[in-house]
Amino acid sequence: MKKFISVSPFQPPKFLSAGIYKYVNNEKLIYEKEIKFPIIPVINGYAENGEEITLITVVSDYENSTVNYETLKCSVNEIAEEKNLKVNYEVISIPYDNRLEVQLEVFNKLISHISDNDKLFADITYGTKVMNQIITMGINYGYRICRDVIPGCIVYGEKDHNTNEMKIYDTTSLIYLDEIVRVMAENGVKDPAGSIKMMMNWSESDD
């Protein structure tokens, strides 16, 4: 199943910016409507009409997070109606706390939502830096441990506070780069940095 992972923002709802996110490096993320949550273009671009999907959201025990989650669900319901999607809503509820044990709890809860044959998508715009690292670790877990799990598209939304321009970046290749580094280390590659540079040059020439 296609599973979309997000974090409910901590920002006060009135300060949660809405706008049209300009895609940078993935045309599937084109979405010409104002939104507050970058996971919306991901769902629009990758969920097929009539498909059943799951939205997994980390929601902290914090008023802004809980209120913003309700807004997120409304936005997802709108696109679900447009594309005739069946959406399963799953919540990872956690304390509003950055202690290590809380982060480990997030990781354990997240991987319990990942199953064989899943295709994983995520928005790492919101939440703490550590939270976004945990989400990436969870996707890596699924990719490396489960059977036939594929990282689909991981995005990051950016706002330029000088121009108010909003952009959305596809950062999925970083997951694969991390996997390449792991494999190189396991196989004792003599010049891993050189090999990575060579692969990056090939990628640039393909573009």
Side-chain angles (χ1 to χ4, degrees), residues 71-88:
T71 305
L72 170 61
K73 285 201 296 183
C74 289
S75 298
V76 174
N77 284 337
E78 288 177 8
I79 195 167
E81 186 172 347
E82 292 172 9
K83 296 176 71 77
N84 190 30
L85 302 173
K86 178 182 177 181
V87 183
N88 303 307

Side-chain angles (χ1 to χ4, degrees), residues 4-203:
F4 298 81
I5 304 167
S6 65
V7 179
S8 187
F10 297 138
Q11 290 97 319
K14 65 180 180 181
F15 295 134
L16 198 59
S17 298
I20 297 176
Y21 281 84
K22 179 182 178 182
Y23 82 96
V24 177
N25 54 345
N26 182 347
E27 292 184 354
K28 276 187 166 288
L29 300 175
I30 294 174
Y31 193 69
E32 299 296 339
K33 296 180 181 180
E34 286 198 349
I35 55 167
K36 295 182 177 181
F37 307 97
I39 197 67
I40 298 298
V42 183
I43 295 173
N44 180 69
Y46 288 92
E48 304 293 334
N49 288 339
E51 191 170 23
E52 179 177 359
I53 66 171
T54 296
L55 177 69
I56 303 166
T57 309
V58 179
V59 182
S60 297
D61 182 16
Y62 183 69
E63 183 177 1
N64 292 340
S65 183
T66 55
V67 171
N68 288 329
Y69 176 60
E70 295 303 317
T71 305
L72 170 61
K73 285 201 296 183
C74 289
S75 298
V76 174
N77 284 337
E78 288 177 8
I79 195 167
E81 186 172 347
E82 292 172 9
K83 296 176 71 77
N84 190 30
L85 302 173
K86 178 182 177 181
V87 183
N88 303 307
Y89 291 96
E90 298 180 357
V91 173
I92 296 176
S93 299
I94 61 168
Y96 181 58
D97 193 323
N98 283 316
R99 289 176 299 167
L100 176 60
E101 50 265 42
V102 174
Q103 307 307 322
L104 293 175
E105 178 184 355
V106 175
F107 179 75
N108 285 325
K109 287 184 175 181
L110 177 58
I111 64 175
S112 72
H113 288 266
I114 298 173
S115 306
D116 292 345
N117 304 305
D118 282 342
K119 192 166 187 180
L120 304 176
F121 304 83
D123 169 28
I124 57 171
T125 304
Y126 298 120
T128 64
K129 293 180 176 63
V130 177
M131 182 77 69
N132 292 328
Q133 185 178 5
I134 294 294
I135 289 174
T136 303
M137 288 169 57
I139 293 171
N140 274 330
Y141 168 90
Y143 179 49
R144 293 169 179 170
I145 303 297
C146 298
R147 180 170 57 85
D148 296 328
V149 167
I150 302 172
C153 181
I154 292 86
V155 301
Y156 174 75
E158 173 189 79
K159 179 179 179 180
D160 185 326
H161 292 281
N162 290 321
T163 64
N164 288 324
E165 184 180 33
M166 303 173 81
K167 296 179 181 179
I168 186 168
Y169 297 86
D170 181 346
T171 65
T172 317
S173 41
L174 296 179
I175 293 282
Y176 291 106
L177 179 58
D178 182 61
E179 180 66 7
I180 289 168
V181 171
R182 183 188 67 81
V183 171
M184 285 182 173
E186 286 183 354
N187 289 277
V189 174
K190 292 183 179 180
D191 182 19
S195 298
I196 290 170
K197 287 178 183 177
M198 187 179 298
M199 284 186 289
M200 291 178 69
N201 288 335
W202 285 344
S203 176

